[in-house]
Amino acid sequence: MNYVVTLGKEIFRKRKLILDLGKADFRKRFVGSYFGVVWMFIQPVVTVAIYAFVFGESGFRSAPPVPGASYVVWLVPGIVPWFFYSEALNAVTNCLQEYNYLVKKVVFQVEVLPLIKLISCLMVHAFFVLIMLGLYLVSGMEIRPTWIQILYYSFAASMLALGIGFFTSSVNVFFKDMAQIVAICLQFGIWMTPIMYDESMFTGRAPWIGIFFKLNPFYYIVAGYRDSMLTGHWFWERPTLTLYFWAFTLIVLAVGLGMFKRLRPHFSDVL
């Protein structure tokens, strides 16, 4: 507990430095690229187009469960947080190798490196949220006060990614295959979460599958984004799921920080 309190104070004291480093990391990813920031949007847009073709009107006809919403309008609030979460988890996992020159500095608080990567990914996520809002306005969707909840669910996704990322980044220093394991798990994760398809396709045949879906903590994020953008439900209308998500996330965060603290003295020796 003392470690967490001390770390929290250090993060607050160096908040401006952390924010500046996060901005620098965001800019760095486009250095030397001819199209620059455009590449940030190409892969996600192509991905949405492919899923819309395969599962939408032209493909397997996976009809969205929300009346009056097209498949793309239903898909986007589910896949936008996944883009953020998967990018953040991959980036945080590899952050100690990328910033190994800072890890070797005795005076540098290495615990802030995952936060720097998270801030950089949040900046990318902010662009996609704006695009999502623009898509809804262009599509004629009703503006809802629950849209503000996107900030809450983005924070929730950040805490989940950060908790897992503290664990994976510290282990990745000694076990380089961890980054590949994370990437493979994310490939499975996108299909284990009802993002491209409606969960009723399975729960109608076997109700227990609904419990299986909800045990996945990212289900809460996807459902929350869709609640906020499409149905107008507030997060407190899912009290059991909210309590489960935060209990799970806090445990993961405690375990991740514990592993990071335990392995931190050996980082500079290996890097």
Side-chain angles (χ1 to χ4, degrees):
M1 181 60 70
N2 290 337
Y3 172 70
V4 175
V5 173
T6 303
L7 178 60
K9 290 180 179 178
E10 186 70 13
I11 291 172
F12 181 78
R13 188 169 67 86
K14 295 184 177 179
R15 61 190 182 281
K16 187 178 184 304
L17 173 63
I18 295 172
L19 183 59
D20 289 342
L21 289 173
K23 292 177 181 177
D25 186 272
F26 173 76
R27 291 191 297 266
K28 184 179 67 175
R29 68 176 66 191
F30 305 114
V31 172
S33 174
Y34 184 77
F35 288 103
V37 74
V38 174
W39 288 113
M40 183 174 70
F41 302 102
I42 291 178
Q43 182 180 356
V45 169
V46 170
T47 302
V48 170
I50 291 173
Y51 289 151
F53 176 78
V54 173
F55 293 98
E57 295 301 322
S58 302
F60 296 135
R61 302 186 66 82
S62 175
V66 179
S70 67
Y71 178 78
V72 171
V73 166
W74 177 83
L75 171 66
V76 169
I79 205 165
V80 162
W82 180 262
F83 286 149
F84 163 63
Y85 174 75
S86 58
E87 181 189 18
L89 189 52
N90 277 318
V92 171
T93 298
N94 291 291
C95 68
L96 297 179
Q97 279 85 357
E98 183 176 345
Y99 287 101
N100 62 78
Y101 57 93
L102 291 177
V103 175
K104 295 175 183 178
K105 291 182 179 293
V106 179
V107 297
F108 189 81
Q109 192 83 20
V110 294
E111 286 86 349
V112 305
L113 291 176
L115 282 173
I116 291 169
K117 279 296 182 182
L118 185 66
I119 290 171
S120 175
C121 294
L122 275 169
M123 291 179 180
V124 176
H125 182 56
F127 279 103
F128 282 107
V129 169
L130 291 175
I131 291 174
M132 177 175 66
L133 295 175
L135 171 66
Y136 269 59
L137 293 175
V138 170
S139 301
M141 300 299 293
E142 177 187 354
I143 298 175
R144 301 178 182 273
T146 50
W147 286 10
I148 193 67
Q149 278 187 145
I150 294 300
L151 297 175
Y152 162 73
Y153 285 109
S154 296
F155 173 75
S158 300
M159 292 299 100
L160 180 62
L162 192 61
I164 299 174
F166 271 121
F167 180 89
T168 57
S169 62
S170 58
V171 173
N172 194 45
V173 173
F174 306 93
F175 181 62
K176 299 297 188 296
D177 294 334
M178 177 56 71
Q180 282 69 40
I181 292 173
V182 168
I184 292 172
C185 288
L186 287 171
Q187 289 182 25
F188 278 103
I190 193 172
W191 294 105
M192 300 293 284
T193 311
I195 295 174
M196 280 80 69
Y197 55 87
D198 179 35
E199 61 189 277
S200 62
M201 293 173 59
F202 301 95
T203 55
R205 303 174 186 175
W208 63 268
I209 296 181
I211 299 175
F212 174 77
F213 279 139
K214 292 175 183 178
L215 288 175
N216 175 358
F218 203 78
Y219 175 92
Y220 177 71
I221 305 298
V222 171
Y225 267 69
R226 285 181 173 145
D227 283 347
S228 302
M229 298 300 300
L230 282 170
T231 63
H233 293 145
W234 296 95
F235 72 90
W236 56 77
E237 296 180 54
R238 294 180 181 267
T240 304
L241 208 57
T242 298
L243 289 174
Y244 168 75
F245 173 83
W246 283 111
F248 182 95
T249 300
L250 290 174
I251 291 172
V252 167
L253 196 55
V255 172
L257 277 171
M259 180 63 73
F260 199 97
K261 179 186 177 183
R262 181 179 179 183
L263 298 178
R264 181 185 58 181
H266 310 289
F267 288 163
S268 58
D269 297 333
V270 178
L271 293 173

